[in-house]
Amino acid sequence: MNNKTTAEVWLKILIAAIVFACTVPFFVIFLRSFLEQSGRISAKAWYEVFLGTQEYLMRFWGSLILCLCITWGQIIVSVLAGYGFAKRSFPGRKILYFFLMIIMILPLQVTLVPNYLIMEKIHLLNTRLSLFLPAVFFPLGTMIITESFRAVPDDVLDAAKLDGCGDIQILRCIMIPLNKGSVVCAGLLSFLDAWNMVEQPVAFLKDFEKFPISVALAYASSSNLAVQMVCCILVVLPPLFLFLYFNKELVDGIVIGEKK
């Protein structure tokens, strides 16, 4: 066995060990969901979450709809802003883009107080709009799509304009199809960020009934660990499905700059 083959074997062992370490907690959660406090093995917790009561599924679907609205809103804002930064010239464009990068690297806690004051000023505290509006204008998606749009040759856009296409047609028929991976990547990151939000609901909402599942999970049947484990699996399902379904587009979006 030569050195190259030995290195490949050790690399595969290392990858297998990392995968094993990442998946073990999920197997533990799954197995623990069938173990009652009395020590008996039962599917009672699964029945309680999915059929026995509407509390968990109603909160799940409410959180899912909120996160999908945030995702679509951020995609629309990011596509329009990305097109403006990448293919339009206007005074102060570079300065605005620079400040956008600065805002992106700021911790969430830095912008939490200003967002709270704004939501209070426009009387949106304790409403789901207080979660929706700040999340829609998150700058990461705009930066991803801007850098992707810049890779499209200007000659393509000039030819489209000569054919009578407007900006909306150019976006719908040229820019978005050519940069589908980046748009999907921005959407997935937006959904994941919205699905895992904790600080914003705690700061902006007062009613427990309005809390998304990411926060309410901490209060889900605290006396019944099996139910909590089932709720953990329920929370994992949407991100897992999206990442598996859009795996190719996600990879393309991450390496789009290198590939182009």
Side-chain angles (χ1 to χ4, degrees):
M1 184 180 294
N2 54 39
N3 292 335
K4 183 178 180 180
T5 305
T6 304
E8 291 178 352
V9 171
W10 280 109
L11 179 61
K12 292 178 180 179
I13 293 174
L14 177 61
I15 294 174
I18 294 174
V19 172
F20 177 78
C22 293
T23 55
V24 162
F26 295 100
F27 284 112
V28 172
I29 290 174
F30 179 75
L31 295 176
R32 184 61 182 81
S33 66
F34 292 97
L35 185 63
E36 295 186 359
Q37 289 180 321
S38 61
R40 294 189 304 109
I41 297 177
S42 171
K44 183 179 178 180
W46 289 82
Y47 174 82
E48 181 177 349
V49 172
F50 287 94
L51 297 174
T53 177
Q54 297 181 350
E55 176 186 355
Y56 305 108
L57 288 183
M58 289 295 292
R59 195 177 296 277
F60 170 82
W61 288 112
S63 300
L64 184 61
I65 292 173
L66 173 65
C67 293
L68 289 176
C69 291
I70 290 174
T71 301
W72 278 109
Q74 189 173 134
I75 287 177
I76 293 172
V77 171
S78 298
V79 166
L80 295 176
Y83 180 71
F85 280 121
K87 297 300 179 181
R88 286 292 185 179
S89 296
F90 55 87
R93 181 183 64 171
K94 293 183 178 179
I95 296 177
L96 287 175
Y97 194 66
F98 173 76
F99 279 110
L100 191 71
M101 291 189 292
I102 296 298
I103 294 173
M104 189 192 70
I105 64 176
L106 290 177
L108 172 66
Q109 292 76 12
V110 175
T111 58
L112 197 61
V113 173
N115 284 332
Y116 179 90
L117 295 176
I118 293 173
M119 293 300 109
E120 184 181 32
K121 194 70 175 179
I122 60 179
H123 306 290
L124 288 180
L125 285 180
N126 202 32
T127 67
R128 290 187 173 88
L129 281 176
S130 63
L131 303 180
F132 174 80
L133 291 177
V136 164
F137 297 98
F138 191 67
L140 178 60
T142 300
M143 293 195 62
I144 292 174
I145 294 177
T146 298
E147 296 304 321
S148 178
F149 281 2
R150 282 177 176 171
V152 178
D154 293 335
D155 294 340
V156 176
L157 304 187
D158 293 338
K161 291 177 182 177
L162 289 175
D163 289 337
C165 293
D167 289 330
I168 300 300
Q169 289 177 304
I170 290 174
L171 279 172
R172 182 170 57 87
C173 301
I174 298 176
M175 303 299 285
I176 293 178
L178 288 178
N179 299 278
K180 181 181 177 182
S182 297
V183 175
V184 171
C185 179
L188 286 175
L189 294 177
S190 171
F191 179 86
L192 189 62
D193 182 70
W195 188 253
N196 293 326
M197 68 169 63
V198 174
E199 291 91 345
Q200 301 95 315
V202 172
F204 299 155
L205 301 179
K206 297 180 181 178
D207 296 338
F208 175 76
E209 291 77 13
K210 296 179 181 179
F211 281 168
I213 197 169
S214 56
V215 177
L217 181 61
Y219 304 93
S221 295
S222 57
S223 60
N224 192 336
L225 187 58
V227 171
Q228 285 188 330
M229 297 298 102
V230 177
C231 290
C232 289
I233 295 173
L234 185 64
V235 170
V236 170
L237 291 180
L240 181 63
F241 171 77
L242 290 175
F243 273 90
L244 291 177
Y245 187 81
F246 292 108
N247 179 62
K248 182 178 182 300
E249 289 81 1
L250 178 62
V251 174
D252 292 342
I254 293 174
V255 301
I256 191 71
E258 181 179 350
K259 292 172 66 177
K260 291 186 177 182

